[in-house]
Amino acid sequence: MTRHLKVDAPIPDSPLDHMAQGVLGKPVSRLEGPLKVTGRATYAAEARPEGLLYGVLVQAAIPAGKVLSIGDAPGAMVVIHDPRLIRYAAQGMATEGPTAGPDEVEYMGQAIAVVVAEALEAAQAAAQALQVTYEAKDVPVDPEAVEPERPEDKQSATGDLDRAMQDASHTLDQIWHTPSHTAAAMEPHAATAEWSGDTLTVRAGYQMLATSREQLADAVGIKPDQVRLLAPYVGGGFGSKLGINADSVAAAIAAQQLGRPVQVVMTRQQVFDLAHRRSETRQRIRLACDTQGKLTGIGHEALVSNLPGVSFSEPVTQATPFTYQAAHRQIVHAIARVHRSCAGSVRAPGEAVGATVFECAMDELAETAGIDPVELRLRNIPDTEPCTGRPFSSHKLAEALREGAARFNWSDRRPTGQRREGDWYIGMGVASAVRVNSLIESRARVTLQADGRAIVETDMTDIGTGSYTILGQIAAETLGLAVDRVEVRLGDSDFPPASGSGGSFGAASSGTSVYLACAEIRSQIAALIGCDEADLTLQNGQVRTGNVSRPLDALLTGELTGDGHLEPGKTEDTVRQATWGSHWAEIAVNRWTGEVRVRRMLGVFACGRVLNEKTARSQCLGGMTFGLGMALTEAMAHDPRDGHIVTRDLAEYHIPCHADVPPLEVHFLTESDTYVGPLHAKGLGELGICGAGAAILNAIHNACGVRVRELPATPDKIIAGLQS
Amino acid sequence: MKPFTYHRASTLTDRPAGATIIAGGTNLLDLMKHEVMTPKALVDITALDLNRIEAHGDGLRIGALVRNSDLAADPVIRRDYPLLSRALLAGASGQLRNMATTGGNLMQRTRCPYFYDTRMPCNKREPGSGCAAIGGVNRNHAILGASPACIATYPGDMAVALRALDAEVEIESPAPRQVPLSEFYRLPADTPDVETVMRPGEIITAVLLPAPAGGQQRYRKVRDRASYAFALVSVAAIIGMENNRIAHAALAFGGVAAKPWRDPGAEALLIGQEPSDTLFGRAADLILQSAGGYGGNDFKIPLLRRTLIATLRDATGMEATA
Ligand SMILES: Cc1cc2nc3c(=O)[nH]c(=O)nc-3n(C[C@H](O)[C@H](O)[C@H](O)COP(=O)(O)OP(=O)(O)OC[C@H]3O[C@@H](n4cnc5c(N)ncnc54)[C@H](O)[C@@H]3O)c2cc1C
Ligand code: SF4
């Protein structure tokens, strides 16, 4: 039986608060952790089916034009130049494979063929020796050198911002630039494909199986039910594995043609070229406020880029309409069509760069207005969503700011440039954290076996986030079992389709479907023992109602199965759902070299119910580290002539290393959001990054008076602003 | 990677003609995978008896196979040549230093991204094809001693310290010869593919250090993250003070040229003087007299100046005050 829930109304009383097991929220260690640290969790590139062949992707060496001919590859079995090869990775949740046709090159590095051989080395050598001729075409690669598109539905204005700017007591009007970013997941994209008759099985790194399955079927030209995807372990995604990439398609086509399993693993350089990048952004922020620091005007203009015809555009201004109150508002969103690699979702698309820049602007306004930056934010928190007037599902920004200020000893912050230790200027900075929240349709099946053990099955993925563990905890809590009596099976498209991992919606969405499946089983247990589901207490394998208490396995005569099906409903529209928090940083700037060292950071977050204190904290630590990288180190450099990515390995693209990251502190506010389903849990994965970099950049200014508006704040940017 | 033959040498002369030496492999393997270097034959020298640090006159002889991590941790090096230890520890990562050898470190190739990208023209990789870094992304390129043919830097840290320490390179040729580090690297001029004075078939057997220089020794490396990144600029400084005046100065600079840079004029300018920011600024100006940027790396000129001043303030014991 399926228990279905469409979240049309708030659920004030969470049934999970009435469960007896007491395991939900606890810092349970990763269920699959031991497998991973002992190398027994096999990733896609480690699959070794009988008869495996190795495929290596061949990449275009021109920024745009046509492939005229592809030569032979001595030493390899075959060069496959199949029109079904995709031009770029599919966007998350797309249901079609992206434009096919490797003959049309749209960006440098595009996959145009795959070379297959018995040995990886032979395939690599043959791919490198391959002669390709092109007819090259001149194309623009600089987003600021073309006339951008301004889609009507992405512009909005209320009141008269120009007027507000003229009439204001204090204003801010500045431009920021953020560079292209890459997800930089540890596991490179890899796929192992095998056909059995006309059924295709692909083991690969995916974040969302249900839609990736449709994409792959569409690209290869078969039906979705002929495709089985397996992604039990995924070494990080951060957006880069939301949709299928060239590895899957190439492996599938090659395996089909050769009648043997084929594996395609991208090199690190190929991951840089072929995984979606986060678009670089140019952001102009205008702010106007009165003498008291009350905002009267907010303007946020974004310029992003993507390839012609690709619908995704970095939603830079996503949170701007509802974060702060102001009567006069304007949003401008422009898209430059240039031939850099394809842009898509990377680590909190939108707020990661949008909220970060906006929070830098708030800091500048606070300085201009002579108001403490925490206070300025507190004075501008709206009661209801500006523009629409909808209520917030819950709103913890003020509490996050107050709590953070106390915990971080914000009162120790000195005026700009006033704190020095030896050659180091010391500064403190703050930023609000905000991220939109959503649920995605999700299904799960739970089987309670006669021996009282439960099995959870859903095509949800665990991309290193802790899905196995929290889903196990939800089932254990609802069914009254110890966590080790629950087996969680994920990452198989034969299982009921879940939300997948992305956009911070995974835990709440798939978690709710697992809860619903378990609730269905609870009602079956209640029927067995002859009571109402509401009167049932399940704990440690015991079933209790009134004075009756029986062991679960004694009660069961066979297995019980429950299906759970969650659908987002009206609360998506009736309220504004978001997660909130605050970021705090204390940093040091070397007065000679301009090096910045982060000394401590604090993140205070409200994400509804915390499902597992440990995995939740890890998510936030990762997010804050991304923020640090965005502020200080990460930049993908494009060649100015052909747009290709120049910094395309992890020695040149600087993600923060251990020495960059100080002890990070994470504090969760107690919150339960009644509009997001029975779990009262919201997304968390991305909140940690949204604004974190701004706290650091604002701290740099507090330390040494330098505003860096071209991210990242590498030493050259700092010394340019320091006096000699 | 192109197929190659592999031979493990058991003696210094047990090396097939034309074979490329592989030591730790931390640089060569990457270059081979990208087919930037395509040797037909490899000779693995790691079984040779070249991994000792031993007394040599008043100084030391460091075998070419001594690993970077062992060298940095050696008690005599730490006591008498702290500059060398610090420079080594500022390089790469713990894992890489465990593999990297003294000889391989000296011979490591540039990190110019266009050099590693066989789609791009590069005079160093393919003489006569052009230089993609000029007019391209050249944030980490040279500001001193570059040529229109190539603006790449020598990227390493250890050699910068060795330059300030007046080290020599011992080469088996087959007769042994010794080359001062000052003459070991070559500026690009018209032949950026020729990076050192090493001739075909030669092997580095050791690095020779003169008697300890004493004084205050500093290695200051500025980079884009706190660790595990190549130098934007680095300064190796040995400063001896007498009566609050600079009595001895040796300065070498990394990340700015195709070789560790040294400027005797700037050192002479410091000798006999009382330390001051003005003095250090004058030394920096002298060094940077002929410096020029290529757009992305213009910042290295002020950055080198500032880093030199900071390092000299530190080495001369100037208070960290305004
Ligand atoms: C990600 C990364 C980051 C790094 N960061 C830094 C850094 O910050 N600072 C730094 O200084 N270095 C850095 N390195 C470079 C590292 O120090 C070198 O790769 C290493 O020192 C090379 O030593 P090896 O023994 O592995 O040389 P190999 O890779 O074995 O050889 C390198 C070259 O030297 C030649 N060679 C080796 N031994 C001899 C010999 N005895 N005689 C003649 N020729 C010889 C080889 O033929 C080859 O051309 C980094 C490397 C990587 C991969
Ligand atoms: S700077 Fe030198 S190494 Fe770099 S592309 Fe130019 S020639 Fe090649």
Side-chain angles (χ1 to χ4, degrees):
Chain A
M1 285 282 286
T2 299
R3 184 161 300 193
H4 170 254
L5 172 73
K6 193 162 185 192
V7 188
D8 285 330
I11 301 173
D13 189 18
S14 169
L16 272 312
D17 289 333
H18 303 286
M19 301 294 167
Q21 189 64 25
V23 66
L24 195 58
K26 291 287 174 329
V28 176
S29 293
R30 302 261 195 99
L31 301 185
E32 84 290 11
L35 290 179
K36 284 183 174 168
V37 298
T38 55
R40 283 174 295 158
T42 44
Y43 290 83
E46 296 171 315
R48 289 288 176 276
E50 191 62 35
L52 182 65
L53 297 170
Y54 296 86
V56 169
L57 295 171
V58 179
Q59 297 180 270
I62 56 163
K66 270 194 165 47
V67 175
L68 296 181
S69 72
I70 294 189
D72 294 330
M77 293 173 70
V78 63
V79 181
I80 298 176
H81 174 64
D82 188 298
R84 292 174 293 175
L85 283 173
I86 55 176
R87 258 183 228 183
Y88 29 72
Q91 300 288 340
M93 298 202 221
T95 50
E96 290 176 353
T99 316
D103 288 337
E104 291 286 334
V105 175
E106 293 208 51
Y107 58 100
M108 187 101 152
Q110 179 182 321
I112 51 172
V114 57
V115 173
V116 187
E118 295 276 356
L120 175 64
E121 290 77 8
Q124 282 169 335
Q128 276 165 316
L130 202 66
Q131 295 294 321
V132 182
T133 60
Y134 305 94
E135 183 185 301
K137 180 164 96 182
D138 261 350
V139 287
V141 296
D142 177 1
E144 303 211 30
V146 297
E147 186 53 41
E149 290 171 10
R150 289 196 177 75
E152 230 168 89
D153 60 339
K154 291 189 190 297
Q155 326 297 322
S156 68
T158 323
D160 184 346
L161 180 60
D162 293 335
R163 242 333 257 292
M165 291 292 286
Q166 278 164 28
D167 296 349
S169 305
H170 307 285
T171 59
L172 175 282
D173 183 356
Q174 288 291 354
I175 291 171
W176 281 259
H177 286 92
T178 66
S180 295
H181 294 133
T182 189
M186 184 105 78
E187 179 202 23
H189 294 56
T192 308
E194 215 170 335
W195 289 80
S196 144
D198 49 14
T199 315
L200 168 67
T201 301
V202 179
R203 182 180 278 270
Y206 297 118
Q207 294 180 228
M208 308 179 79
L209 293 196
T211 41
S212 289
R213 177 192 206 177
E214 294 186 52
Q215 294 156 10
L216 188 58
D218 184 56
V220 177
I222 52 179
K223 297 205 185 66
D225 60 13
Q226 290 170 269
V227 177
R228 182 175 180 202
L229 300 185
L230 296 171
Y233 304 109
V234 182
F238 315 117
S240 74
K241 294 168 186 165
L242 286 172
I244 58 163
N245 211 324
D247 55 331
S248 295
V249 183
I253 293 171
Q256 186 178 38
Q257 180 171 330
L258 298 166
R260 283 170 63 181
V262 175
Q263 182 170 89
V264 175
V265 182
M266 289 193 198
T267 63
R268 182 58 68 184
Q269 286 75 18
Q270 289 176 334
V271 174
F272 270 84
D273 295 340
L274 296 171
H276 290 155
R277 69 187 168 94
R278 185 208 303 287
S279 169
E280 71 296 312
T281 72
R282 175 187 185 273
Q283 299 182 48
R284 179 187 184 201
I285 308 257
R286 283 185 289 166
L287 297 174
C289 71
D290 65 16
T291 52
Q292 299 307 302
K294 281 264 186 201
L295 287 170
T296 51
I298 292 176
H300 197 166
E301 299 170 31
L303 172 69
V304 302
S305 74
N306 213 337
L307 288 164
V310 179
S311 62
F312 179 91
S313 74
E314 180 73 21
V316 176
T317 58
Q318 191 159 252
T320 311
F322 65 86
T323 308
Y324 299 111
Q325 183 72 55
H328 306 277
R329 328 175 58 97
Q330 188 184 12
I331 300 276
V332 174
H333 186 93
I335 308 162
R337 295 298 173 187
V338 293
H339 293 257
R340 295 180 166 190
S341 72
C342 189
S345 297
V346 175
R347 306 184 198 158
E351 288 91 320
V353 280
T356 295
V357 163
F358 198 93
E359 289 299 312
C360 289
M362 286 295 279
D363 198 72
E364 297 202 24
L365 184 71
E367 188 199 16
T368 308
I371 299 171
D372 180 273
V374 176
E375 187 54 35
L376 179 74
R377 288 171 171 86
L378 287 171
R379 285 182 196 174
N380 288 290
I381 296 177
D383 296 328
T384 56
E385 185 180 43
C387 305
T388 67
R390 288 186 295 181
F392 289 100
S393 66
S394 76
H395 201 299
K396 290 274 178 179
L397 177 55
E399 192 180 330
L401 287 166
R402 291 200 177 96
E403 179 72 27
R407 287 179 173 264
F408 203 65
N409 294 329
W410 180 252
S411 52
D412 289 351
R413 179 177 182 263
R414 309 246 192 96
T416 303
Q418 303 273 299
R419 193 169 154 204
R420 270 256 310 264
E421 291 179 14
D423 278 340
W424 298 86
Y425 298 112
I426 315 296
M428 286 162 77
V430 63
S432 300
V434 56
R435 178 69 175 159
V436 292
N437 185 66
S438 62
L439 287 170
I440 300 286
E441 183 171 6
S442 221
R443 294 172 191 263
R445 175 174 306 128
V446 176
T447 308
L448 183 61
Q449 296 174 315
D451 64 358
R453 291 173 171 274
I455 297 170
V456 176
E457 290 172 322
T458 161
D459 84 355
M460 179 62 187
T461 49
D462 187 326
I463 59 171
T465 46
S467 311
Y468 278 108
T469 315
I470 57 149
L471 297 181
Q473 283 173 278
I474 290 169
E477 187 67 50
T478 314
L479 296 175
L481 301 174
V483 176
D484 62 10
R485 305 214 20 113
V486 180
E487 184 190 336
V488 183
R489 298 177 183 166
L490 304 179
D492 182 339
S493 63
D494 278 356
F495 296 149
S499 59
S501 305
S504 299
F505 47 64
S509 305
S510 75
T512 303
S513 63
V514 169
Y515 161 74
L516 292 169
C518 294
E520 166 57 28
I521 292 178
R522 281 177 68 90
S523 69
Q524 294 173 24
I525 296 171
L528 282 178
I529 204 163
C531 73
D532 267 6
E533 190 190 328
D535 298 331
L536 194 69
T537 303
L538 300 177
Q539 188 177 19
N540 292 326
Q542 287 285 321
V543 185
R544 281 201 313 272
T545 180
N547 323 335
V548 185
S549 175
R550 291 184 58 189
L552 181 59
D553 50 3
L555 186 71
L556 295 173
T557 51
E559 60 178 39
L560 303 179
T561 306
D563 285 298
H565 179 198
L566 164 83
E567 277 187 280
K570 291 191 183 128
T571 63
E572 272 199 327
D573 300 321
T574 52
V575 290
R576 158 52 65 188
Q577 296 181 21
T579 49
W580 302 95
S582 60
H583 288 288
W584 310 80
E586 180 180 295
I587 60 91
V589 180
N590 188 285
R591 62 180 286 231
W592 295 103
T593 60
E595 295 156 293
V596 178
R597 298 286 179 262
V598 181
R599 310 214 308 180
R600 59 191 181 106
M601 279 177 89
L602 164 70
V604 178
F605 305 111
C607 57
R609 182 196 299 274
V610 173
L611 299 169
N612 176 325
E613 219 178 278
K614 196 172 187 172
T615 56
R617 181 171 174 275
S618 291
Q619 289 289 290
C620 297
L621 296 178
M624 289 160 74
T625 305
F626 290 164
L628 193 157
M630 189 194 300
L632 299 181
T633 59
E634 289 184 55
M636 212 145 85
H638 294 274
D639 186 274
R641 297 154 299 194
D642 58 25
H644 86 265
I645 297 158
V646 178
T647 48
R648 55 207 275 274
D649 62 37
L650 294 175
E652 303 293 329
Y653 182 90
H654 296 131
I655 54 171
C657 66
H658 283 98
D660 291 295
V661 187
L664 306 177
E665 197 192 327
V666 174
H667 177 72
F668 291 110
L669 297 178
T670 310
E671 182 188 38
S672 77
D673 191 322
T674 60
Y675 288 88
V676 294
L679 252 50
H680 288 181
K682 289 190 284 196
L684 180 62
E686 298 166 315
L687 183 60
I689 181 174
C690 302
I696 293 171
L697 294 163
N698 295 340
I700 291 173
H701 177 263
N702 178 240
C704 65
V706 177
R707 290 280 181 203
V708 178
R709 300 191 192 93
E710 303 264 335
L711 274 52
T714 43
D716 48 319
K717 318 263 181 57
I718 305 282
I719 62 166
L722 287 175
Q723 270 121 38
S724 55
Chain B
M1 199 187 279
K2 292 249 165 79
F4 55 87
T5 63
Y6 174 85
H7 178 73
R8 200 172 170 84
S10 53
T11 64
L12 260 189
T13 49
D14 174 26
R15 290 181 291 125
T20 297
I21 293 169
I22 182 159
T26 59
N27 190 204
L28 184 59
L29 274 180
D30 276 349
L31 291 163
M32 288 171 66
K33 285 187 201 165
H34 291 289
E35 295 190 359
V36 174
M37 288 175 76
T38 50
K40 291 199 171 56
L42 282 190
V43 55
D44 181 341
I45 61 166
T46 51
L48 300 183
D49 179 23
L50 295 173
N51 39 29
R52 268 173 293 156
I53 304 170
E54 56 204 359
H56 177 80
D58 295 336
L60 289 179
R61 182 177 183 279
I62 302 164
L65 288 173
V66 175
R67 306 279 172 174
N68 287 179
S69 36
D70 293 337
L71 185 56
D74 184 83
V76 178
I77 296 287
R78 288 176 51 139
R79 188 191 64 209
D80 294 341
Y81 305 90
L83 176 63
L84 179 56
S85 187
R86 285 173 193 164
L88 283 162
L89 292 175
S93 66
Q95 294 90 330
L96 284 159
R97 293 194 296 268
N98 285 341
M99 287 304 290
T101 65
T102 306
N105 194 315
L106 285 176
M107 294 295 288
Q108 66 176 290
R109 312 288 309 267
T110 185
R111 306 307 287 202
C112 169
Y114 297 100
F115 173 67
Y116 279 81
D117 188 342
T118 51
R119 301 171 301 187
M120 296 288 133
C122 168
N123 288 325
K124 190 187 275 299
R125 178 169 27 80
E126 218 182 304
S129 62
C131 171
I134 297 174
V137 174
N138 50 36
R139 173 173 175 74
N140 217 358
H141 287 71
I143 51 170
L144 289 163
S147 78
C150 178
I151 61 171
T153 60
Y154 168 78
D157 293 297
M158 181 187 78
V160 182
L162 293 178
R163 180 75 180 90
L165 287 164
D166 289 316
E168 296 191 341
V169 184
E170 184 189 275
I171 299 167
E172 188 79 13
S173 174
R177 62 177 180 131
Q178 287 160 18
V179 178
L181 206 94
S182 55
E183 291 163 25
F184 184 75
Y185 295 101
R186 303 193 13 166
L187 289 176
D190 293 338
T191 52
D193 53 317
V194 184
E195 291 166 352
T196 68
V197 297
M198 295 283 287
R199 294 186 291 245
E202 290 189 329
I203 178 171
I204 299 172
T205 46
V207 165
L208 306 175
L209 290 177
Q216 291 293 318
Q217 305 196 358
R218 297 287 184 277
Y219 190 73
R220 186 73 168 91
K221 177 177 178 181
V222 181
R223 46 192 147 173
D224 278 336
R225 63 182 161 193
S227 176
Y228 201 21
F230 289 93
L232 295 169
V233 306
S234 71
V235 178
I238 304 172
I239 298 291
M241 299 287 290
E242 270 167 35
N243 306 321
N244 198 33
R245 285 179 188 273
I246 297 169
H248 170 75
L251 303 172
F253 304 92
V256 291
K259 61 179 190 181
W261 197 258
R262 198 163 164 181
D263 190 328
E267 290 166 17
L269 185 144
L270 296 174
I271 305 295
Q273 305 295 317
E274 276 185 32
S276 73
D277 288 354
T278 323
L279 177 70
F280 303 155
R282 275 172 46 218
D285 292 341
L286 190 62
I287 293 157
L288 291 164
Q289 215 168 215
S290 62
Y294 294 85
N297 67 346
D298 294 351
F299 72 91
K300 283 191 178 183
I301 298 172
L303 184 60
L304 183 69
R305 188 173 198 279
R306 303 180 73 103
T307 308
L308 176 62
I309 295 173
T311 311
L312 289 176
R313 287 172 63 100
D314 183 23
T316 57
M318 276 176 71
E319 292 287 306
T321 52

